[in-house]
Each structure stands twice: as structure tokens, then as C-alpha cells.
């Protein structure tokens, strides 16, 4: 099997305390295959709070795997589960993704960027959710810091 690699951190959900739930996997992939990539019959699970590295050479299928989990491309075979439920649009909205080469708007504060991104996804009660998120990840002191 071709090794894959990227950096994945499975954080607790916004609805839970920062203590991981180890009773069931946060993310589970079973026999995933994607025809145009080298992604063939891949199975794994990530526990909440775990730190995982996805490593591989160019063309190994790292991006295909991440895009499949995010729903940006379909898999040809296999299943993806988030909190033991089949990955669906509503589940995908709880998965964060920061690409290697992200194109962020210039000269925004952390809070302004979060407002911008919230508007893209039609998030309601934005101010409250931004405050709670920054507090949860212990970055509220950086809300007005330029990114």
C-alpha cells in the first residue's frame, strides 16, 4: 500500500468539553478507493483528540482523501463515517480544513476573517459563535490581531 501523509488533528466538537470521547471514533474510513488516484482500499479511524499524520509522495492520494472526507470529490468505493454517521452535508460543516496554500484576504483581523467565513456559510448568531470559538481554542486575546 502507498503511504499517505498530511497533518490531521481531531478536535472535540463545539458541543463537548475539551476532553476527548474515546468510546467511538470521530472519523472512520472503510475500504476507500478513488479511481484516478492511488487511493485504493484504505481503512482507518481517528479518535477524538488524536493527532494523526498522513504521509506520502506526490500522487499518493493525500489530497484525494482529504477532498473525499470534505465532500469535494466522490469516492468510487467504500464508506466514510463521522461520529458513526455516514458523512453527509450537515456533518461536513463541522469539519474544519486549512489548505497548505490558503488565499486569505489581506489585512483582516482574526475576528474579521471569521465573520467573512461565517458569511460564506450563512452562519447565524455570528458574534456569539465567534466569541465562543475563540474562547474554546483559547485565542480570544488575538481576536483583533491581523492575520
Amino acid at each position: 500500500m502507498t503511504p499517505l501523509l498530511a497533518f490531521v488533528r481531531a478536535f472535540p466538537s463545539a458541543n463537548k468539553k475539551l476532553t476527548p470521547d474515546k468510546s467511538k471514533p470521530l472519523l472512520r474510513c472503510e475500504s476507500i478507493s478513488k479511481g484516478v488516484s492511488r487511493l485504493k482500499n484504505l481503512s482507518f479511524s481517528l479518535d477524538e483528540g488524536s493527532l494523526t499524520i498522513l504521509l506520502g509522495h506526490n500522487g499518493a492520494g493525500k489530497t484525494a482523501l482529504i477532498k473525499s472526507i470534505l465532500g469535494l470529490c466522490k469516492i468510487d468505493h467504500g464508506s466514510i463515517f463521522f461520529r458513526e454517521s455516514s458523512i453527509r452535508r450537515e456533518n461536513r460543516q463541522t469539519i474544519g480544513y486549512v489548505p497548505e496554500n490558503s488565499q486569505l484576504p489581506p489585512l483582516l483581523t482574526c475576528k474579521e476573517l471569521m465573520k467573512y467565513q461565517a458569511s460564506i456559510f450563512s452562519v447565524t448568531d455570528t458574534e456569539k459563535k465567534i466569541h465562543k470559538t475563540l474562547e474554546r481554542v483559547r485565542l480570544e486575546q488575538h481576536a483583533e490581531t491581523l492575520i
Side-chain angles (χ1 to χ4, degrees):
M1 183 175 132
T2 305
L4 299 171
L5 198 49
F7 177 74
V8 178
R9 177 70 193 224
F11 285 103
S13 75
N15 299 336
K16 293 189 172 191
K17 295 179 182 174
L18 288 173
T19 53
D21 176 6
K22 299 282 185 177
S23 64
K24 57 187 171 188
L26 180 69
L27 179 70
R28 181 168 45 99
C29 297
E30 294 180 349
S31 304
I32 294 176
S33 295
K34 178 86 178 124
V36 294
S37 74
R38 291 193 175 170
L39 197 55
K40 305 248 187 284
N41 201 30
L42 177 69
S43 297
F44 69 92
S45 64
L46 294 176
D47 292 329
E48 193 164 320
S50 67
L51 179 64
T52 302
I53 295 181
L54 190 61
L55 179 63
H57 57 79
N58 289 346
K62 303 176 299 292
T63 301
L65 174 62
I66 299 297
K67 285 183 174 182
S68 297
I69 292 168
L70 295 171
L72 300 175
C73 69
K74 290 186 178 185
I75 55 175
D76 296 330
H77 178 74
S79 302
I80 302 172
F81 300 93
F82 181 73
R83 296 200 183 283
E84 295 300 312
S85 295
S86 181
I87 270 283
R88 295 179 309 273
R89 183 174 178 86
E90 59 270 16
N91 285 341
R92 288 188 194 116
Q93 291 178 346
T94 63
I95 299 172
Y97 170 65
V98 179
E100 180 180 350
N101 297 314
S102 61
Q103 299 295 319
L104 301 175
L107 303 175
L108 291 180
T109 65
C110 181
K111 189 174 178 179
E112 290 169 336
L113 176 63
M114 293 175 78
K115 281 182 186 179
Y116 169 73
Q117 292 176 330
S119 71
I120 292 171
F121 292 99
S122 303
V123 173
T124 59
D125 202 11
T126 306
E127 287 292 329
K128 183 178 177 182
K129 288 178 181 174
I130 288 173
H131 176 75
K132 283 180 117 178
T133 301
L134 289 170
E135 189 177 72
R136 185 172 146 243
V137 295
R138 300 181 184 112
L139 290 174
E140 58 270 56
Q141 72 275 17
H142 297 290
E144 301 303 327
T145 303
L146 289 176
I147 54 170

